[in-house]
Amino acid sequence: MADTFRNAEAEIKIILAGETAEDARRSLGLDPGNGKHLGIYFWDAPWADGDGIRLPLAEAGAIVRLRRPDRGGKDGKDGKSDLTAKLRPCDPAALPSKWRENRGGKGWEFKVEEDWSGGDRVWSASLKVDGNYEPPVAGEGRGTAAWPPPLTRDQRDLLAHAGVTDDGLRDAVALGPVRAVRWKLSRQDLDRPLTAEFWSVDDGPCFLELSLRAPHADAPGAQELLERTVLEQGLRPAPQQASKTQTVMTELARNHLRRAV
């Protein structure tokens, strides 16, 4: 599959949750004062299904995400914001020819990559657009500042390949914010730059994701090295590596539905 796309990479991830995430942050010397602080929002149309939560856009493989500099962090108002439309999971072979190559231009970037997390392999395709985006009003939808998410025509076109159209976004609400801190690290025990991102939700879960990128041919060795580095720090990731995005969106949606009662 990797040969189908020009310059596609694997993003190798390890996710630590709860107290393990806090322990990992301290063990790796990740000082929040030295990281990039972000507020992250998602759009979906959640509803309760018994004790569970349904997220129809995410279940269709469509993620709409806004990242903004957190003015409580060191970046203040001068950092960039970006809005991303992502298909995850997706079948790259089903994408039209114009979405067959990683590319970018002024203020935008498109990429197809394979996420490696433990034994899981999931393809994703994302189109990120930089801009001066205002924070949405979390939990509010059509007829408010949160609606619609200001997607470009190309972003809407990409989402349409998951069957998500403007009509499908009609009931979407903004969920968030997630408070995030990101660090870019260069470690002697790794031969590639490492990204660490700590996510937290008010009165909810927290996660630390460690990730690096590698060409597909090098991905098995890079994954083994990253896993060994984490174990040598005395850290034990959960054997089942649940998606932090899915877990956090579910928690945000649960909070939104409680407030709506």
Side-chain angles (χ1 to χ4, degrees):
M1 184 69 77
D3 293 338
T4 307
F5 307 96
R6 294 174 58 183
N7 58 12
E9 293 183 317
E11 184 178 16
I12 298 156
K13 302 178 179 180
I14 292 179
I15 298 172
L16 304 109
E19 292 184 4
T20 304
E22 292 279 11
D23 292 343
R25 184 182 62 78
R26 289 189 290 267
S27 176
L28 294 169
L30 302 175
D31 182 350
N34 295 328
K36 180 176 183 178
H37 290 246
L38 300 166
I40 302 176
Y41 299 83
F42 299 93
W43 275 265
D44 213 305
W47 55 279
D49 183 14
D51 293 333
I53 300 294
R54 302 299 299 271
L55 295 165
L57 299 188
E59 290 171 17
I63 302 293
V64 179
R65 181 195 68 206
L66 171 65
R67 295 186 297 199
R68 302 184 71 257
D70 187 335
R71 299 192 179 189
K74 71 172 186 177
D75 302 285
K77 62 183 180 181
D78 298 323
K80 290 183 179 179
S81 300
D82 60 73
L83 181 68
T84 296
K86 175 182 285 192
L87 303 184
R88 186 185 187 276
C90 76
D91 177 3
L95 294 173
S97 58
K98 74 173 184 177
W99 302 122
R100 288 293 181 89
E101 179 181 1
N102 286 358
R103 53 199 172 90
K106 185 177 181 180
W108 67 275
E109 179 185 25
F110 173 76
K111 63 184 177 185
V112 176
E113 61 188 0
E114 190 176 31
D115 295 337
W116 287 36
S117 184
D120 293 336
R121 309 284 186 268
V122 180
W123 281 95
S124 67
S126 63
L127 178 55
K128 177 174 71 72
V129 178
D130 297 334
N132 296 316
Y133 299 106
E134 291 298 320
V137 180
E140 296 190 7
R142 194 176 184 88
T144 75
W147 176 266
L151 297 165
T152 66
R153 182 175 62 183
D154 281 340
Q155 287 177 317
R156 294 195 303 271
D157 178 68
L158 181 64
L159 292 178
H161 290 285
V164 175
T165 64
D166 286 346
D167 285 343
L169 288 165
R170 180 168 46 239
D171 297 323
V173 296
L175 303 172
V178 178
R179 303 297 180 191
V181 188
R182 176 186 289 178
W183 301 264
K184 294 285 189 179
L185 307 173
S186 178
R187 294 178 58 93
Q188 293 183 346
D189 48 2
L190 294 171
D191 56 3
R192 290 178 172 82
L194 179 68
T195 298
E197 193 162 317
F198 189 88
W199 281 22
S200 61
V201 176
D202 291 343
D203 300 320
C206 62
F207 300 89
L208 179 68
E209 179 184 89
L210 305 175
S211 65
L212 53 80
R213 286 183 165 84
H216 274 82
D218 299 337
Q223 184 179 46
E224 181 181 356
L225 182 58
L226 179 59
E227 290 175 347
R228 185 166 67 245
T229 299
V230 169
L231 291 174
E232 287 173 351
Q233 293 288 329
L235 304 171
R236 295 294 182 268
Q240 297 298 320
Q241 291 278 285
S243 163
K244 77 179 189 306
T245 297
Q246 185 74 21
T247 303
V248 166
M249 285 185 67
T250 299
E251 185 69 19
L252 294 172
R254 194 183 307 279
N255 292 341
H256 162 70
L257 293 172
R258 285 182 186 135
R259 290 192 299 268
V261 173

